[in-house]
Amino acid sequence: KAGVTQTPRYLIKTRGQQVTLSCSPISGHRSVSWYQQTPGQGLQFLFEYFSETQRNKGNFPGRFSGRQFSNSRSEMNVSTLELGDSALYLCASRVASGTQETQYFGPGTRLLVL
Amino acid sequence: AQSVTQLDSHVSVSEGTPVLLRCNYSSSYSPSLFWYVQHPNKGLQLLLKYTSAATLVKGINGFEAEFKKSETSFHLTKPSAHMSDAAEYFCVVTRNQAGTALIFGKGTTLSVSS
């Protein structure tokens, strides 16, 4: 079974631009979560989607948003990019929300904001 | 509130010697705990998971961890280190009983010398 895939793997943007990242979960997984990894803050939860609905949100500004499609694929959007948004963005999928199911991570998208 | 503390930011061992990575947790309920590993420029891989079954959990690549409620600890061990074990290791707890979000420790970098 294929793992979680994320596209693109690398991205360079400039301040003020917006960016969209994509995540395809493991087949049969309906929950997708997003995390941001930076050297200073470590790994932080952004949000989780299940059945096209946001189920939970971390402590990030409204510039960070996401959505999930009927095939469980998810996109994350960051508007008005800031230098501090440079990070590795990780997507994780699991079978369902509301359980202690293991989350499986993709390889991440590395975003550099200049 | 849920939290994890990884007691060492960096651990160095020689190949063939035991590995001990320490993690303490705080939880207001019976938690699910995980250890994930991240190799350079790779995503996160699940090593093992504790979910209130056996307190000694065996994972992949010879790693195991013991859940000690009285000490609120979940230390990761391996009898004999291999060069390929060099990576960053994260101790993780679920944010709530629904398992909606993961809370990561700051990570421990394991170096293995020959």
Side-chain angles (χ1 to χ4, degrees):
Chain A
K1 188 182 279 190
V4 178
T5 58
Q6 292 187 246
T7 57
R9 292 293 311 278
Y10 302 93
L11 208 48
I12 299 176
K13 292 285 187 179
T14 56
R15 278 183 298 172
Q17 287 187 310
Q18 76 167 17
V19 67
T20 298
L21 312 181
S22 180
C23 171
S24 292
I26 292 171
S27 177
H29 287 194
R30 297 172 60 198
S31 166
V32 173
S33 297
W34 289 89
Y35 294 82
Q36 182 196 62
Q37 185 176 23
T38 60
Q41 299 300 317
L43 277 146
Q44 296 182 284
F45 171 73
L46 279 156
F47 30 64
E48 180 188 23
Y49 285 86
F50 177 74
S51 293
E52 302 177 64
T53 302
Q54 188 179 90
R55 288 303 179 97
N56 213 329
K57 192 175 189 306
N59 189 25
F60 279 81
R63 300 185 296 107
F64 291 82
S65 63
R67 59 177 175 168
Q68 186 180 34
F69 302 95
S70 58
N71 62 357
S72 295
R73 189 178 70 84
S74 176
E75 287 182 348
M76 190 191 91
N77 184 275
V78 188
S79 63
T80 319
L81 284 166
E82 300 176 0
L83 296 179
D85 297 333
S86 294
L88 180 66
Y89 291 89
L90 292 163
C91 164
S93 77
R94 57 178 174 159
V95 174
S97 181
T99 72
Q100 299 279 343
E101 290 274 344
T102 299
Q103 295 189 31
Y104 295 90
F105 286 81
T109 294
R110 188 166 295 281
L111 171 66
L112 177 61
V113 181
L114 301 176
Chain B
Q2 316 299 102
S3 67
V4 288
T5 303
Q6 292 184 244
L7 300 174
D8 306 292
S9 59
H10 197 167
V11 170
S12 296
V13 300
S14 299
E15 193 173 23
T17 64
V19 175
L20 170 63
L21 305 184
R22 300 182 294 164
C23 172
N24 287 350
Y25 70 92
S26 173
S27 178
S28 55
Y29 63 89
S30 183
S32 285
L33 292 159
F34 309 80
W35 277 97
Y36 281 87
V37 61
Q38 187 176 38
H39 288 92
N41 300 313
K42 297 283 182 68
L44 290 158
Q45 181 183 19
L46 178 70
L47 277 177
L48 49 80
K49 172 183 178 181
Y50 167 78
T51 55
S52 76
T55 57
L56 182 62
V57 183
K58 293 190 183 299
I60 61 171
N61 301 334
F63 285 95
E64 63 181 38
E66 186 171 8
F67 174 75
K68 292 186 176 181
K69 187 175 181 180
S70 60
E71 299 176 11
T72 61
S73 69
F74 189 57
H75 300 337
L76 181 70
T77 61
K78 183 174 181 178
S80 175
H82 192 273
M83 295 293 286
S84 61
D85 294 329
E88 188 156 21
Y89 292 79
F90 294 93
C91 182
V92 181
V93 67
T94 48
R95 191 167 80 175
N96 51 37
Q97 288 184 284
T100 303
L102 300 178
I103 297 175
F104 286 78
K106 293 296 187 184
T108 298
T109 300
L110 175 65
S111 299
V112 182
S113 58
S114 57

